[in-house]
Structure formats: C-alpha cells, structure tokens
Amino acid sequence: MLKELWAIREEVRDRNPLVYNITNTVVTNFTANVLLAAGASPIMSEGAAEAEDLARICSALVLNIGTLHTRQINYCLKAGEYANKYQKPVVLDPVGVGATAYRNIIAGQILQDVRVDLVRGNYGEISFIAGVDAQVRGVDNTGTAIDLPAIQKMSGEYSALVAATGAVDYLLDGRQVHVNRTGHPLLQLVTGTGCALSSLAGAFLAVAEDRKLGVLAALAFYGAAAQKAAENSKGPGSFATRFLDTLYNLSFKDFKKIAADKVYQQQPLEESLTENDAMEPETSITEA
C-alpha cells in the first residue's frame, strides 16, 4: 500500500493541483507554504465575485470556518455551489464546531447545501457533527474518545469521507475504516497545522483516482514529514521551518521507514476507542 500512497504524493508534485482556499485569517500563510512545499499551488480568496471563475479553474475547494463572519459564510456557500457545478472536490474543515451555536449552525448549513467530499477535523469536531457528546474549547479538541460507528454513520449520511485526526487518524467512508499512526506532538504547538492538513488533503484528493486513498496518502505523508522534521528540532519554532523543508524533501525511503506498519485498514470496526486505547507507545499526533 505504501507504494500506492507514495505514487499519489508524486502525482501531486507532477500535476501541481490548484487548491482554492476560503480559510481563516490565522492560518493563510502557513497553509499556502505547506501546499507549495508539497508541490501543490495555493490560491487564497476572500471575494465572492470570483467564486465561479476560481471554481472553474481549481482542482479542489477547501472551506475552513475558523474565523467566521457573514460575508465569508455566504462566500463558502456560493463557492461550494460552483464547485459542485464544475464537479470539483470540496473539503470542509469545521474548525471549532461544537464550541458555539453559531459555528454549529453554519457547519450544518454547509453540509446541507454543499455536496462535500471530505470532512476533516479533530476528534471533538467530528464527534459533534456525528451527534456524539464531545468537548470542544475554541479550536482545541479536549475529548479523548472517538465513537467510530457513529462517525461511520455520519459518513454514510453525507456520502462523504470523514477524517478524524488526533493521536491516531481515522479515515472512514461509510463502509471501511483506515488508520494512520504517523505524526508528532510538535504539530500541536504550531498554529494552523490541522488547517493546512485539510488543504493538503484537497490537493491529494484532486489527483487521486481513488479519493479515499488520496486522503490516506495525505495523512500518512504529512505525519511522516512531521516525524522526520522533529528529529533535529529543538522546539516548535525550528520544527515549523524543518517541517516545511521536509514536506519538500521527504524521500520514499524515509516515508517507507516511518510509515511501515502505521497505515492500514482496521477490521473489525470497534464500537469506540480512547486515545490511550488506540495509541502504541511511540504513536504521535497529527492534529493541531
């Protein structure tokens, strides 16, 4: 499987997909740099007047509700409508859903009005959308449990892939569960790493024939780059720089070494897991 996932990573570099981001103001620069380092092409937009033009030419659309305001909400819905029209994959990052009624309503409206291909969030955000009690404080995930059957049901209801990322990443498609255990805790100490992962998943979705494998490839590649970057990092500052460099330079040899036995399909589907139950002693985190 690792060769197949790496082939998708190489396809991103070869095809340079254009990822159309309507994202939050905190993470714009970091997200763009992650996409560039991985071989994708970012475009950040705040103007609804260009929604149709960008939806027509983009490879994927990412909707991130991290810093909500009325104009952005209307833009997200309009861009999503055009992305659906032009059959471009749509990624929703429901940042902070579960923390406020406002975010809850908007996330629900997007899921109702836009055909979303992937919902990517932390355990708390995904659990909330799935109807499971979850603790969310701001953009942080304060819960440790994950109810996979409930999230599997959510995936089927929205006909969307769902990536619940945390100590262990779970990718669900309504039928199967894939697991990714690559990553490093320093990702939690750099603002925007979760948001950037959502946008990177959009790039991988855009080039993959099997979109599920595309998202899995993004999760595994991102986490492997984080593990490699952390080897010579002294803290979050040096890690952020090394992480971008590693996204650019990571070889298949290093990817294979890091990801071996950490990316797989999980059978059977377990009723629920906690981070402590799911983690191996050296398992790290791919969420911030």
Side-chain angles (χ1 to χ4, degrees):
M1 178 187 284
L2 293 183
K3 286 185 178 179
E4 191 173 3
L5 299 182
W6 188 256
I8 298 171
R9 185 272 170 281
E10 291 290 88
E11 194 73 8
V12 170
R13 195 195 303 271
D14 292 342
R15 290 174 55 182
N16 187 225
L18 176 64
V19 183
Y20 171 18
N21 296 273
I22 303 175
T23 190
N24 71 74
T25 56
V26 180
V27 306
T28 303
N29 184 68
F30 186 76
T31 297
N33 284 337
V34 164
L35 289 170
L36 288 169
S41 180
I43 185 165
M44 281 38 195
S45 174
E46 295 185 356
E50 61 183 1
E52 183 168 13
D53 288 340
L54 291 180
R56 186 187 296 111
I57 66 172
C58 77
S59 303
L61 168 67
V62 178
L63 305 176
N64 179 307
I65 65 169
T67 49
L68 276 177
H69 51 79
T70 302
R71 179 170 53 83
Q72 184 197 46
I73 294 164
N74 294 333
Y75 187 14
C76 283
L77 294 171
K78 188 172 184 179
E81 177 185 353
Y82 283 125
N84 288 167
K85 175 182 176 181
Y86 293 110
Q87 298 183 325
K88 305 299 176 68
V90 178
V91 178
L92 172 64
D93 189 333
V95 178
V97 70
T100 70
Y102 185 47
R103 289 175 186 272
N104 303 346
I105 291 169
I106 300 309
Q109 186 175 2
I110 292 173
L111 286 166
Q112 176 180 324
D113 294 350
V114 178
R115 187 174 65 253
V116 172
D117 296 271
L118 169 66
V119 184
R120 202 292 316 168
N122 63 39
Y123 287 4
E125 293 159 350
I126 297 300
S127 294
F128 180 85
I129 295 174
V132 179
D133 288 339
Q135 295 175 300
V136 180
R137 184 186 66 246
V139 300
D140 297 326
N141 176 24
T142 60
T144 59
I146 183 165
D147 187 331
L148 291 179
I151 296 171
Q152 192 79 294
K153 182 179 178 182
M154 166 197 161
S155 175
E157 288 176 350
Y158 291 112
S159 298
L161 295 168
V162 178
T165 56
V168 180
D169 301 333
Y170 295 98
L171 176 63
L172 304 94
D173 67 354
R175 298 179 304 277
Q176 299 175 324
V177 181
H178 280 80
V179 178
N180 171 61
R181 292 177 178 270
T182 67
H184 195 275
L186 280 172
L187 283 168
Q188 287 194 320
L189 300 180
V190 177
T191 299
T193 55
C195 297
L197 174 57
S198 295
S199 290
L200 188 69
F204 278 61
L205 268 174
V207 305
E209 291 185 12
D210 184 328
R211 288 181 171 176
K212 178 175 60 181
L213 287 184
V215 177
L216 188 62
L219 297 175
F221 169 65
Y222 200 77
Q227 283 188 230
K228 182 68 175 176
E231 290 177 1
N232 297 308
S233 298
K234 296 181 179 179
S238 58
F239 170 75
T241 300
R242 290 182 182 277
F243 181 51
L244 291 175
D245 287 345
T246 308
L247 287 170
Y248 181 78
N249 290 308
L250 190 71
S251 66
F252 176 65
K253 180 180 179 181
D254 285 333
F255 174 73
K256 183 178 179 181
K257 179 180 178 181
I258 293 169
D261 301 323
K262 291 185 178 181
V263 184
Y264 53 89
Q265 182 177 331
Q266 177 174 295
Q267 292 292 348
L269 182 63
E270 299 173 39
E271 290 187 1
S272 63
L273 295 173
T274 67
E275 289 186 359
N276 288 334
D277 292 335
M279 287 179 66
E280 295 173 347
E282 296 182 358
T283 296
S284 299
I285 298 174
T286 56
E287 174 60 22

